[in-house]
């Protein structure tokens, strides 16, 4: 699980279980956020908790979920997100936009990558998105990947989300070669556990001190998307396949992605949800359900052609995940919407909850909202281009036709062809 979501998960799980949230023993950059009065929050921001560690993340994730449900975020909300960007193109997790970025500003590859994806998806401020993509290219590590902050060791989650952002802006990811010949895909594949070994097909977040690889569910879901060149808001792949784990030392990125999907499918076959480690200080030592990682795994399975293997997990999320989403705020609600969308479930009636309405209520009133809920998007190529006036996807054409038929006259922003744990 990413450190950003780990912090949110600790706070949310504490609320749901009725225990005191533990004090995180971690660097300041990854400490758990604390509640903050809504009056103290900047205008345009989604959510009611302290945005210090996840402001850009939750704002961008909200935009991605709204986009696939035909919701156009307000200008105020978009302006807030773009206002978090530094002149270099980088985003921080959150900053005081009244002060310029300087040498002390902590740049964040994850925040930058998700903000880039969000701006491309809502088809606004494309120049700012491209500026962010250029910055991401400039801080690529020699092994081909990216760490959480520029110069930090590469990890699966950061590398995967950056791949999604670059691919979404039209960058041919497989051509981003370092001096030693490494690509972003090389970096991800180096974290794959070989088929035939314990947890074969899974991915590690980073190597251990001795180079050992330990399976990490969040890293696996993220890597499946990254190796397919997809971003967070991926839909269902039309190429339905049976999960399999391919052995070998010279696998293609697609084969490695399928190995990861096979591991996720096998894991969720045992029980329909993933688990997180017990919370320090909690009386209950039994591992708790990990709603966020389960949602990410659902998206990864659907994007890799295995939506049928995620049905039980979606049913479980409908029954058990809505309370988590409400407590978790915009990011958690957005994750459920993405999982619902990827598998064809109705996000406006998910376990009896209208997740889209819930998300919309967590920020400024949207500029526009359309009905009905769209169907899952199709597969996304691993690289490509997005012009400002590119072709509309079939889902958008259908939506426009429905809007015309009912006399609703507002402009829908298009979702370009490309794009995903």
């Amino acid at each position: 699980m990413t450190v950003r979501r780990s912090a949110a998960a600790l706070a949310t799980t504490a609320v749901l279980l009725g225990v005191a949230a533990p004090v995180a023993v971690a660097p300041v950059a990854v400490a758990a956020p604390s509640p903050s009065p809504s009056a103290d929050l900047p205008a345009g921001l989604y959510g009611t908790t302290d945005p210090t560690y996840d402001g850009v993340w939750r704002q961008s994730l909200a935009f991605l979920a709204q986009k696939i449900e035909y919701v156009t975020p307000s200008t105020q909300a978009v302006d807030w997100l773009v206002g978090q960007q530094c002149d270099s193109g980088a985003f921080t997790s959150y900053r005081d936009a009244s002060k310029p970025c300087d040498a002390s500003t902590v740049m964040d590859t994850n925040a930058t990558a998700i903000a880039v994806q969000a701006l491309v998806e809502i088809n606004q401020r494309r120049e700012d998105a491209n500026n962010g993509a250029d910055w991401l290219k400039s801080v690529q590590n020699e092994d081909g990947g990216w760490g959480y902050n520029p110069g930090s060791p590469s990890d699966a989650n950061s590398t995967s989300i950056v791949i999604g952002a670059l691919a979404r802006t039209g960058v041919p990811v497989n051509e981003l070669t370092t001096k030693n010949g490494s690509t972003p895909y090389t970096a991800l594949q180096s974290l794959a556990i070989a088929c035939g070994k314990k947890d074969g097909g899974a991915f590690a977040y980073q190597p251990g001190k001795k180079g050992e690889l330990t399976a990490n569910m969040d890293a696996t879901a993220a890597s499946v998307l990254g190796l397919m060149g997809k971003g967070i808001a991926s839909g269902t792949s039309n190429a339905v396949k049976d999960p399999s784990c391919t052995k070998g030392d010279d696998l293609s990125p697609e084969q490695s992605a399928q190995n990861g999907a096979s591991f996720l499918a096998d894991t969720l076959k045992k029980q329909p949800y993933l688990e997180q480690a017990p919370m320090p200080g909690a009386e209950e030592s039994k591992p708790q359900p990990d709603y966020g990682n389960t949602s990410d795994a659902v998206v990864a399975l659907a994007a890799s052609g295995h939506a049928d293997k995620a049905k039980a997990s979606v049913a479980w999320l409908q029954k058990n995940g809505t309370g988590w989403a409400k407590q978790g705020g915009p990011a958690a609600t957005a994750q459920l919407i993405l999982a619902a969308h990827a598998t064809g479930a109705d996000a406006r009636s998910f376990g009896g909850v209208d997740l889209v309405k819930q998300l919309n209520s967590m920020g400024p009133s949207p500029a526009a909202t359309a009905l009905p809920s769209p169907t899952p998007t199709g597969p996304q190529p691993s690289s490509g281009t997005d012009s400002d006036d590119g072709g509309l996807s079939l889902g958008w054409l259908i939506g426009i036709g429905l809007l015309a038929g009912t006399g609703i006259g507002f402009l829908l922003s298009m979702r370009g062809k490309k794009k995903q744990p």
Side-chain angles (χ1 to χ4, degrees):
M1 174 179 289
T2 62
V3 289
R4 189 189 320 277
R5 194 182 306 134
S6 292
L10 288 175
T12 302
T13 304
V15 172
L16 293 177
L17 295 178
V19 300
V23 176
V25 181
V28 173
V30 299
S34 59
S36 173
S38 59
D40 297 335
L41 298 178
L45 175 67
Y46 280 70
T48 59
T49 55
D50 184 354
T52 301
Y53 308 109
D54 76 335
V56 168
W57 182 268
R58 74 197 195 201
Q59 190 89 350
S60 301
L61 203 59
F63 287 0
L64 290 169
Q66 287 179 320
K67 172 65 177 183
I68 62 175
E69 290 292 334
Y70 291 175
V71 176
T72 303
S74 71
T75 300
Q76 183 185 42
V78 177
D79 287 346
W80 181 88
L81 178 61
V82 175
Q84 292 292 298
Q85 189 174 31
C86 299
D87 290 341
S88 65
F91 283 78
T92 65
S93 299
Y94 172 78
R95 71 184 183 91
D96 180 355
S98 67
K99 301 175 182 179
C101 300
D102 56 27
S104 66
T105 304
V106 181
M107 308 301 182
D108 182 336
T109 61
N110 288 234
T112 302
I114 195 170
V116 167
Q117 290 189 39
L119 293 175
V120 172
E121 289 298 339
I122 64 175
N123 197 29
Q124 297 186 42
R125 310 296 287 266
R126 184 54 187 268
E127 184 176 343
D128 297 307
N130 290 342
N131 193 23
D134 288 341
W135 179 81
L136 289 169
K137 289 189 292 183
S138 75
V139 296
Q140 183 182 18
N141 290 336
E142 278 303 306
D143 64 1
W146 286 265
Y148 194 85
N149 303 113
S152 61
S154 298
D155 66 76
N157 296 69
S158 298
T159 300
S160 296
I161 195 172
V162 171
I163 288 175
L166 295 179
R168 201 65 191 90
T169 55
V171 176
V173 176
N174 60 338
E175 295 179 12
L176 286 179
T177 307
T178 62
K179 293 180 180 179
N180 63 10
S182 298
T183 71
Y185 298 132
T186 306
L188 279 184
Q189 289 180 296
S190 71
L191 297 172
I193 299 175
C195 296
K197 294 185 177 181
K198 181 179 181 296
D199 297 328
F203 287 78
Y205 176 74
Q206 286 177 328
K209 293 182 179 180
K210 297 181 179 181
E212 70 277 12
L213 300 178
T214 302
N216 180 293
M217 295 298 179
D218 194 42
T220 301
S223 296
V224 169
L225 295 177
L227 287 165
M228 293 189 297
K230 295 186 177 184
I232 290 177
S234 289
T236 300
S237 170
N238 292 329
V240 179
K241 308 166 185 177
D242 289 326
S244 62
C245 201
T246 303
K247 297 181 179 181
D249 297 325
D250 190 25
L251 302 180
S252 68
E254 166 70 16
Q255 287 174 316
S256 295
Q258 289 299 325
N259 288 353
S262 175
F263 175 78
L264 291 174
D266 287 343
T267 302
L268 291 174
K269 187 187 301 182
K270 301 169 187 174
Q271 65 180 20
Y273 60 89
L274 302 178
E275 293 180 339
Q276 62 186 22
M279 289 173 52
E283 294 181 3
E284 179 60 65
S285 61
K286 182 180 179 180
Q288 299 299 320
D290 192 324
Y291 303 95
N293 278 352
T294 301
S295 299
D296 291 347
V298 166
V299 173
L301 284 172
S304 56
H306 310 296
D308 58 319
K309 301 300 185 292
K311 287 183 178 180
S313 297
V314 173
W316 181 85
L317 286 169
Q318 287 179 308
K319 183 178 180 180
N320 301 281
T322 54
W324 165 79
K326 185 175 182 179
Q327 292 287 348
T333 300
Q335 280 183 276
L336 280 194
I337 291 174
L338 294 174
H341 174 77
T343 53
D346 187 357
R348 288 181 166 85
S349 181
F350 194 83
V353 176
D354 186 337
L355 295 175
V356 180
K357 182 179 179 180
Q358 178 170 293
L359 179 60
N360 292 346
S361 70
M362 294 177 175
S365 297
T369 304
L371 289 172
S373 179
T375 57
T377 58
Q380 300 166 317
S382 59
S383 64
T385 58
D386 282 273
S387 62
D388 290 336
D389 59 349
L392 294 171
S393 67
L394 177 60
W396 279 109
L397 291 174
I398 294 173
I400 292 172
L402 289 170
L403 292 175
T406 56
I408 300 176
F410 58 79
L411 181 63
L412 292 175
S413 57
M414 74 90 174
R415 184 179 189 199
K417 196 79 175 170
K418 158 101 204 53
K419 212 174 158 126
Q420 224 121 85

